[in-house]
Each structure stands twice: as C-alpha cells, then as structure tokens.
Short mmCIF file of all heavy atoms in Angstrom, two decimals:
data_model
loop_
_atom_site.label_atom_id
_atom_site.label_comp_id
_atom_site.label_asym_id
_atom_site.label_seq_id
_atom_site.Cartn_x
_atom_site.Cartn_y
_atom_site.Cartn_z
N MET E 1 6.83 29.53 23.08
CA MET E 1 6.02 28.67 23.72
C MET E 1 6.87 27.85 24.72
O MET E 1 8.00 27.40 24.41
CB MET E 1 5.41 27.72 22.80
CG MET E 1 4.30 26.74 23.44
SD MET E 1 3.64 25.55 22.21
CE MET E 1 2.92 26.59 20.97
N GLU E 2 6.36 27.80 25.91
CA GLU E 2 7.10 26.96 26.99
C GLU E 2 7.14 25.54 26.64
O GLU E 2 6.26 24.99 26.02
CB GLU E 2 6.35 27.24 28.36
CG GLU E 2 6.48 28.54 28.91
CD GLU E 2 6.04 28.60 30.37
OE1 GLU E 2 6.09 27.65 31.08
OE2 GLU E 2 5.74 29.77 30.83
N SER E 3 8.09 24.93 27.16
CA SER E 3 8.55 23.53 26.88
C SER E 3 7.18 22.51 27.25
O SER E 3 6.74 21.75 26.52
CB SER E 3 9.67 22.96 27.50
OG SER E 3 10.84 23.54 27.08
N THR E 4 6.57 22.85 28.44
CA THR E 4 5.32 22.14 28.84
C THR E 4 4.21 22.28 27.85
O THR E 4 3.41 21.40 27.57
CB THR E 4 4.87 22.53 30.21
OG1 THR E 4 4.72 23.93 30.25
CG2 THR E 4 5.90 22.02 31.31
N GLU E 5 4.09 23.60 27.33
CA GLU E 5 2.97 23.76 26.23
C GLU E 5 3.21 23.04 25.03
O GLU E 5 2.27 22.65 24.37
CB GLU E 5 2.84 25.30 26.12
CG GLU E 5 2.16 25.96 27.27
CD GLU E 5 0.89 25.36 27.68
OE1 GLU E 5 0.01 25.09 26.80
OE2 GLU E 5 0.69 25.05 28.96
N VAL E 6 4.51 22.98 24.55
CA VAL E 6 4.89 22.18 23.38
C VAL E 6 4.36 20.63 23.63
O VAL E 6 3.67 20.07 22.76
CB VAL E 6 6.34 22.13 23.06
CG1 VAL E 6 6.71 21.23 22.02
CG2 VAL E 6 6.77 23.62 22.72
N VAL E 7 4.65 20.11 24.79
CA VAL E 7 4.29 18.77 25.00
C VAL E 7 2.63 18.68 24.96
O VAL E 7 2.14 17.72 24.50
CB VAL E 7 4.91 18.14 26.41
CG1 VAL E 7 4.40 16.90 26.75
CG2 VAL E 7 6.47 18.14 26.08
N ARG E 8 2.01 19.52 25.71
CA ARG E 8 0.50 19.59 25.72
C ARG E 8 0.15 19.72 24.47
O ARG E 8 -0.98 18.94 23.98
CB ARG E 8 0.05 20.66 26.68
CG ARG E 8 0.26 20.40 28.09
CD ARG E 8 -0.48 21.58 29.03
NE ARG E 8 -0.09 21.35 30.29
CZ ARG E 8 -0.88 20.57 31.11
NH1 ARG E 8 -1.73 19.79 30.62
NH2 ARG E 8 -0.54 20.44 32.41
N GLN E 9 0.54 20.52 23.51
CA GLN E 9 0.14 20.69 22.16
C GLN E 9 0.41 19.43 21.43
O GLN E 9 -0.39 18.99 20.52
CB GLN E 9 0.87 21.73 21.48
CG GLN E 9 0.45 22.09 20.10
CD GLN E 9 -1.05 22.46 19.96
OE1 GLN E 9 -1.45 23.30 20.77
NE2 GLN E 9 -1.85 21.87 19.03
N TYR E 10 1.50 18.66 21.74
CA TYR E 10 1.77 17.38 20.94
C TYR E 10 0.59 16.44 21.33
O TYR E 10 0.03 15.81 20.42
CB TYR E 10 3.14 16.82 21.43
CG TYR E 10 3.29 15.42 21.00
CD1 TYR E 10 3.78 15.06 19.79
CD2 TYR E 10 3.02 14.39 22.01
CE1 TYR E 10 3.80 13.69 19.36
CE2 TYR E 10 3.26 13.11 21.62
CZ TYR E 10 3.65 12.87 20.38
OH TYR E 10 3.71 11.44 19.94
N TRP E 11 0.30 16.15 22.60
CA TRP E 11 -0.65 15.27 22.99
C TRP E 11 -2.11 15.71 22.32
O TRP E 11 -2.85 14.79 21.91
CB TRP E 11 -0.78 15.02 24.40
CG TRP E 11 0.40 14.21 25.01
CD1 TRP E 11 1.39 14.61 25.85
CD2 TRP E 11 0.69 12.86 24.71
NE1 TRP E 11 2.24 13.54 26.05
CE2 TRP E 11 1.81 12.53 25.28
CE3 TRP E 11 0.10 11.96 23.91
CZ2 TRP E 11 2.39 11.29 25.27
CZ3 TRP E 11 0.61 10.65 23.70
CH2 TRP E 11 1.75 10.36 24.43
N SER E 12 -2.33 16.95 22.48
CA SER E 12 -3.63 17.48 21.95
C SER E 12 -3.74 17.08 20.48
O SER E 12 -4.86 16.81 19.91
CB SER E 12 -3.85 18.90 22.23
OG SER E 12 -4.92 19.43 21.66
N SER E 13 -2.73 17.41 19.77
CA SER E 13 -2.77 17.22 18.31
C SER E 13 -2.91 15.74 17.91
O SER E 13 -3.56 15.38 16.98
CB SER E 13 -1.52 17.80 17.63
OG SER E 13 -1.32 19.07 17.94
N VAL E 14 -2.26 14.83 18.79
CA VAL E 14 -2.29 13.34 18.45
C VAL E 14 -3.79 12.98 18.74
O VAL E 14 -4.33 12.34 18.01
CB VAL E 14 -1.35 12.58 19.35
CG1 VAL E 14 -1.62 11.16 19.27
CG2 VAL E 14 0.11 12.85 18.98
N TRP E 15 -4.39 13.47 19.84
CA TRP E 15 -5.78 13.21 20.26
C TRP E 15 -6.75 13.52 19.11
O TRP E 15 -7.64 12.87 18.86
CB TRP E 15 -5.93 13.61 21.58
CG TRP E 15 -7.39 13.57 21.96
CD1 TRP E 15 -8.03 14.53 22.79
CD2 TRP E 15 -8.53 12.69 21.84
NE1 TRP E 15 -9.37 14.24 23.05
CE2 TRP E 15 -9.67 13.04 22.43
CE3 TRP E 15 -8.50 11.44 21.27
CZ2 TRP E 15 -10.84 12.23 22.42
CZ3 TRP E 15 -9.62 10.55 21.16
CH2 TRP E 15 -10.82 11.07 21.85
N SER E 16 -6.52 14.77 18.62
CA SER E 16 -7.46 15.26 17.65
C SER E 16 -7.14 14.80 16.22
O SER E 16 -7.88 15.07 15.24
CB SER E 16 -7.38 16.83 17.56
OG SER E 16 -6.18 17.32 17.29
N ARG E 17 -6.05 13.98 16.15
CA ARG E 17 -5.60 13.35 14.89
C ARG E 17 -5.30 14.41 13.76
O ARG E 17 -5.52 14.27 12.62
CB ARG E 17 -6.57 12.31 14.31
CG ARG E 17 -6.62 11.13 15.38
CD ARG E 17 -7.92 10.33 15.16
NE ARG E 17 -8.11 9.15 15.97
CZ ARG E 17 -8.27 9.01 17.31
NH1 ARG E 17 -8.52 10.12 17.99
NH2 ARG E 17 -8.37 7.83 17.86
N ASP E 18 -4.70 15.45 14.23
CA ASP E 18 -4.28 16.62 13.39
C ASP E 18 -2.82 16.31 13.15
O ASP E 18 -1.90 16.87 13.78
CB ASP E 18 -4.44 17.91 14.12
CG ASP E 18 -4.15 19.09 13.18
OD1 ASP E 18 -3.23 18.92 12.13
OD2 ASP E 18 -4.53 20.21 13.47
N TRP E 19 -2.54 15.55 12.14
CA TRP E 19 -1.14 15.03 11.79
C TRP E 19 -0.13 16.23 11.42
O TRP E 19 1.00 16.11 11.87
CB TRP E 19 -1.21 13.92 10.81
CG TRP E 19 -2.21 12.81 11.30
CD1 TRP E 19 -3.34 12.36 10.59
CD2 TRP E 19 -2.20 12.11 12.57
NE1 TRP E 19 -3.96 11.53 11.23
CE2 TRP E 19 -3.38 11.22 12.56
CE3 TRP E 19 -1.33 12.18 13.67
CZ2 TRP E 19 -3.59 10.47 13.63
CZ3 TRP E 19 -1.76 11.48 14.74
CH2 TRP E 19 -2.79 10.57 14.68
N HIS E 20 -0.79 17.13 10.74
CA HIS E 20 0.23 18.24 10.42
C HIS E 20 0.68 19.05 11.81
O HIS E 20 1.82 19.32 11.96
CB HIS E 20 -0.55 19.29 9.58
CG HIS E 20 0.29 20.51 9.34
ND1 HIS E 20 1.35 20.74 8.51
CD2 HIS E 20 0.11 21.81 9.90
CE1 HIS E 20 1.94 21.81 8.57
NE2 HIS E 20 1.12 22.54 9.38
N ALA E 21 -0.30 19.17 12.65
CA ALA E 21 0.01 19.89 13.96
C ALA E 21 0.97 19.02 14.78
O ALA E 21 1.79 19.54 15.44
CB ALA E 21 -1.29 20.28 14.74
N VAL E 22 0.81 17.74 14.73
CA VAL E 22 1.70 16.73 15.36
C VAL E 22 3.06 17.04 14.94
O VAL E 22 4.02 17.27 15.72
CB VAL E 22 1.36 15.37 15.37
CG1 VAL E 22 2.44 14.47 15.79
CG2 VAL E 22 0.07 14.94 15.94
N GLY E 23 3.24 17.19 13.52
CA GLY E 23 4.55 17.42 12.95
C GLY E 23 5.21 18.61 13.42
O GLY E 23 6.48 18.73 13.57
N VAL E 24 4.37 19.71 13.57
CA VAL E 24 4.95 20.96 13.91
C VAL E 24 5.50 20.89 15.42
O VAL E 24 6.40 21.70 15.66
CB VAL E 24 3.76 22.05 13.89
CG1 VAL E 24 4.20 23.42 14.60
CG2 VAL E 24 3.32 22.33 12.49
N THR E 25 5.14 20.07 16.18
CA THR E 25 5.65 19.98 17.60
C THR E 25 6.86 19.12 17.56
O THR E 25 7.62 19.03 18.61
CB THR E 25 4.69 19.37 18.45
OG1 THR E 25 4.39 17.93 18.16
CG2 THR E 25 3.33 20.17 18.58
N LEU E 26 7.31 18.48 16.55
CA LEU E 26 8.44 17.66 16.54
C LEU E 26 9.62 18.19 15.72
O LEU E 26 9.38 18.60 14.61
CB LEU E 26 8.00 16.27 15.88
CG LEU E 26 7.04 15.50 16.61
CD1 LEU E 26 6.48 14.32 15.76
CD2 LEU E 26 7.44 15.24 17.95
N ALA E 27 10.92 18.06 16.13
CA ALA E 27 12.02 18.28 15.25
C ALA E 27 12.11 17.42 14.18
O ALA E 27 11.63 16.23 14.31
CB ALA E 27 13.29 18.35 16.17
N GLU E 28 12.62 17.86 13.02
CA GLU E 28 12.80 17.03 11.90
C GLU E 28 13.50 15.66 12.25
O GLU E 28 13.32 14.57 11.75
CB GLU E 28 13.50 17.74 10.77
CG GLU E 28 13.51 17.01 9.42
CD GLU E 28 14.10 17.79 8.31
OE1 GLU E 28 14.07 18.93 8.40
OE2 GLU E 28 14.63 17.17 7.44
N ASP E 29 14.62 15.79 13.03
CA ASP E 29 15.48 14.73 13.41
C ASP E 29 15.05 14.06 14.79
O ASP E 29 15.87 13.44 15.45
CB ASP E 29 16.90 14.99 13.28
CG ASP E 29 17.25 16.12 14.17
OD1 ASP E 29 16.31 16.76 14.80
OD2 ASP E 29 18.51 16.32 14.37
N VAL E 30 13.84 14.25 15.30
CA VAL E 30 13.44 13.63 16.47
C VAL E 30 13.64 12.24 16.67
O VAL E 30 13.65 11.51 15.66
CB VAL E 30 11.92 13.98 16.77
CG1 VAL E 30 11.06 13.23 15.82
CG2 VAL E 30 11.55 13.70 18.24
N GLU E 31 14.04 11.95 17.84
CA GLU E 31 14.22 10.39 18.17
C GLU E 31 13.42 10.02 19.45
O GLU E 31 13.65 10.68 20.38
CB GLU E 31 15.72 9.94 18.40
CG GLU E 31 16.55 9.93 17.14
CD GLU E 31 17.82 9.24 17.28
OE1 GLU E 31 18.08 8.72 18.44
OE2 GLU E 31 18.64 9.28 16.37
N VAL E 32 12.53 9.01 19.34
CA VAL E 32 11.79 8.59 20.48
C VAL E 32 12.09 7.12 20.72
O VAL E 32 11.91 6.29 19.88
CB VAL E 32 10.34 8.96 20.25
CG1 VAL E 32 9.48 8.39 21.40
CG2 VAL E 32 10.04 10.37 20.08
N PHE E 33 12.41 6.85 21.80
CA PHE E 33 12.89 5.52 22.31
C PHE E 33 11.68 4.87 23.28
O PHE E 33 11.25 5.51 24.13
CB PHE E 33 14.14 5.51 23.08
CG PHE E 33 14.64 4.11 23.64
CD1 PHE E 33 14.53 3.10 22.88
CD2 PHE E 33 15.22 4.13 24.92
CE1 PHE E 33 15.04 1.84 23.26
CE2 PHE E 33 15.72 2.86 25.30
CZ PHE E 33 15.57 1.71 24.52
N TRP E 34 11.27 3.62 22.93
CA TRP E 34 10.35 2.89 23.67
C TRP E 34 11.01 1.73 24.30
O TRP E 34 11.29 0.74 23.64
CB TRP E 34 9.15 2.45 22.77
CG TRP E 34 8.38 3.46 22.32
CD1 TRP E 34 8.14 4.80 22.75
CD2 TRP E 34 7.34 3.33 21.20
NE1 TRP E 34 7.31 5.52 21.89
CE2 TRP E 34 6.73 4.68 21.09
CE3 TRP E 34 6.93 2.30 20.36
CZ2 TRP E 34 5.70 4.89 20.12
CZ3 TRP E 34 5.96 2.54 19.50
CH2 TRP E 34 5.30 3.84 19.30
N PRO E 35 11.63 1.97 25.65
CA PRO E 35 12.44 0.81 26.13
C PRO E 35 11.67 -0.60 26.32
O PRO E 35 12.38 -1.48 26.28
CB PRO E 35 12.74 1.45 27.63
CG PRO E 35 12.66 2.89 27.23
CD PRO E 35 11.52 3.11 26.41
N VAL E 36 10.26 -0.51 26.59
CA VAL E 36 9.62 -1.65 26.81
C VAL E 36 9.83 -2.65 25.70
O VAL E 36 9.85 -3.82 25.75
CB VAL E 36 8.16 -1.41 27.15
CG1 VAL E 36 7.31 -2.72 27.30
CG2 VAL E 36 8.14 -0.63 28.58
N THR E 37 9.66 -2.11 24.40
CA THR E 37 9.75 -2.90 23.07
C THR E 37 11.16 -2.67 22.46
O THR E 37 11.33 -3.34 21.37
CB THR E 37 8.62 -2.56 22.20
OG1 THR E 37 8.75 -1.20 21.93
CG2 THR E 37 7.26 -2.83 22.81
N ARG E 38 11.97 -1.83 23.01
CA ARG E 38 13.32 -1.52 22.45
C ARG E 38 13.24 -0.99 21.01
O ARG E 38 14.20 -1.14 20.33
CB ARG E 38 14.21 -2.86 22.43
CG ARG E 38 14.42 -3.33 23.72
CD ARG E 38 15.34 -4.60 23.79
NE ARG E 38 14.93 -5.42 22.67
CZ ARG E 38 14.74 -6.74 22.65
NH1 ARG E 38 14.84 -7.40 23.78
NH2 ARG E 38 14.44 -7.55 21.55
N GLU E 39 12.09 -0.21 20.73
CA GLU E 39 12.02 0.42 19.50
C GLU E 39 12.52 1.87 19.58
O GLU E 39 12.22 2.43 20.67
CB GLU E 39 10.53 0.45 19.01
CG GLU E 39 10.03 -0.96 18.76
CD GLU E 39 8.54 -0.91 18.56
OE1 GLU E 39 7.76 -0.92 19.66
OE2 GLU E 39 8.02 -0.76 17.44
#
C-alpha cells in the first residue's frame, strides 16, 4: 500500500471508529508529537 493510502486509511478508520483498523495503520512503537500542547 502506498504511503498516502496508509494515511488515508488511518483517517478513515478514526472517523469510522474502527479502533482495530486504526491500530493496523500504526507501528507498535509509533510516536506522535503535538507541538501546540507539547504532548
């Protein structure tokens, strides 16, 4: 799957609240930084 499709699948899975499918799009050790809140 192309990288853009992985990201589209992530957002689609979040929107549909399919939490298993969200997890499939993420690496086990994923790190996401939110600079606005420093989280």
Side-chain angles (χ1 to χ4, degrees):
M1 183 182 304
E2 289 188 26
S3 296
T4 55
E5 289 307 309
V6 171
V7 170
R8 286 184 185 281
Q9 183 61 48
Y10 167 78
W11 286 118
S12 175
S13 299
V14 171
W15 169 216
S16 65
R17 293 157 174 81
D18 182 343
W19 308 122
H20 173 76
V22 171
V24 169
T25 65
L26 301 170
E28 186 174 338
D29 60 349
V30 66
E31 283 194 6
V32 178
F33 179 42
W34 293 344
V36 174
T37 56
R38 299 181 321 226
E39 295 169 277

